[in-house]
Amino acid sequence: MNYYYDFHIHTALSPCAEDEMTPNNIVNMAMISGLDLIAVTDHNAAANLPALAKCAAEKGIVFVPGIEVESAEEVHISCLFPTVDAAQAMGELVNSHLLPLENQEDVLGAQYIFDAEDNILGKETRMLLFASDLGDEEIFRAAWNFGGCAYFSHVDRDSYSVLSVLGSLPEIIHTNVVEISNTIRGREFLLERKDLRGKSVLFSSDCHRLADMSGRENWIDLPVDRQRLNAQDVINWIREKDLR
Ligand SMILES: [Zn+2]
Ligand SMILES: [Zn+2]
């Protein structure tokens, strides 16, 4: 069955995201947009995933817990997990590999942590927007070891993408799935790059405000009916492609 998705959504925990990116607003927007599956991937952090999971479950959207990790090479890598616990384990690892810097809220924005009713539980004070000291390969391996998967984020972009930083996909990492921005420019980029032929592509919005969330545009075909669909099906889809 085909399921419509957006696997790259930031909450207001990411300092660069709008304050409107609360759990309920995100889930409601996904419902209005006709999405079946969403992943939330904040920068280097997992603190809003429990609230998202609860909120999505109540409203019948299938939720995939995720983190967008920034590597030592300053490459963004989307990591998705079958459970919030697995994502939080990855979050703890990443947190221990961040520079011990305080967020500059007045310059970069606040980093809000919510409950499932959109109440603000607190603010993350550690600066989340900088590179960790984990290498690309370490991040892929860690995501797999926690039962999840990883793929390079927005490879069509001019910054924080593996192709802009390294020029090509590193041979040492066996990855057959890449993310392309859900834009016309992203699709043009994909056609131009011979080295991406044969890769499985996920188009996602990388939305930092509600209006930028993908609509019913991109789908993945998963061999499971709607009643039994869960995050593990998405992880399996990606991991099986990487094992080829
Ligand atoms: Zn990114
Ligand atoms: Zn992002």
Side-chain angles (χ1 to χ4, degrees):
M1 276 190 73
N2 291 341
Y3 295 103
Y4 293 91
Y5 69 87
D6 189 341
F7 290 149
H8 196 144
I9 298 169
H10 290 268
T11 75
L13 177 58
S14 297
C16 41
E18 297 292 326
D19 292 351
E20 66 183 13
M21 299 304 279
T22 66
N24 284 274
N25 283 351
I26 288 169
V27 171
N28 288 338
M29 190 68 193
M31 292 180 74
I32 292 167
S33 304
L35 297 175
D36 303 301
L37 287 159
I38 58 168
V40 160
T41 55
D42 279 313
H43 292 292
N44 296 321
N48 277 336
L49 299 177
L52 257 299
K54 189 158 182 253
C55 194
E58 282 167 5
K59 299 187 181 182
I61 292 262
V62 177
F63 174 65
V64 185
I67 305 177
E68 183 177 24
V69 183
E70 184 171 337
S71 71
E73 295 90 341
E74 297 191 340
V75 169
H76 285 186
I77 299 171
S78 296
C79 302
L80 303 185
F81 299 91
T83 64
V84 170
D85 284 352
Q88 285 179 319
M90 181 77 179
E92 280 172 31
L93 174 75
V94 173
N95 192 267
S96 69
H97 285 269
L98 292 177
L99 289 170
L101 297 174
E102 292 279 299
N103 183 31
Q104 291 180 279
E105 189 177 318
D106 49 339
V107 180
L108 298 162
Q111 302 178 150
Y112 292 111
I113 300 169
F114 299 102
D115 68 12
E117 279 77 47
D118 287 1
N119 299 307
I120 295 170
L121 295 178
K123 292 178 188 174
E124 170 61 60
T125 55
R126 171 76 67 92
M127 165 37 68
L128 296 176
L129 211 50
F130 290 160
S132 68
D133 65 6
L134 294 164
D136 294 336
E137 197 190 352
E138 284 177 281
I139 292 167
F140 273 76
R141 199 177 323 117
W144 269 70
N145 287 343
F146 287 122
C149 60
Y151 52 88
F152 288 111
S153 309
H154 43 63
V155 299
D156 53 297
R157 294 258 196 90
D158 295 335
S159 55
Y160 301 111
S161 78
V162 65
L163 299 181
S164 70
V165 173
L166 302 179
S168 60
L169 295 173
E171 281 182 20
I172 198 162
I173 298 173
H174 193 69
T175 180
N176 285 319
V177 178
V178 293
E179 181 192 78
I180 296 274
S181 304
N182 186 33
T183 59
I184 292 167
R185 191 177 166 279
R187 286 170 168 79
E188 287 171 351
F189 180 91
L190 180 60
L191 291 174
E192 287 161 12
R193 291 288 299 219
K194 289 193 180 78
D195 53 344
L196 296 179
R197 286 186 193 151
K199 298 290 179 195
S200 294
V201 177
L202 293 170
F203 293 99
S204 285
S205 69
D206 191 12
C207 70
H208 289 68
R209 57 191 191 120
L210 293 170
D212 291 341
M213 195 180 292
S214 298
R216 212 170 155 81
E217 298 159 78
N218 308 299
W219 67 87
I220 53 172
D221 184 9
L222 299 173
V224 58
D225 57 33
R226 191 169 295 269
Q227 289 72 30
R228 291 188 301 117
L229 180 66
N230 61 43
Q232 185 73 59
D233 299 309
V234 174
I235 307 305
N236 292 348
W237 186 90
I238 294 167
R239 284 175 68 123
E240 280 165 19
K241 297 214 179 301
D242 282 347
L243 285 171
R244 275 181 204 162

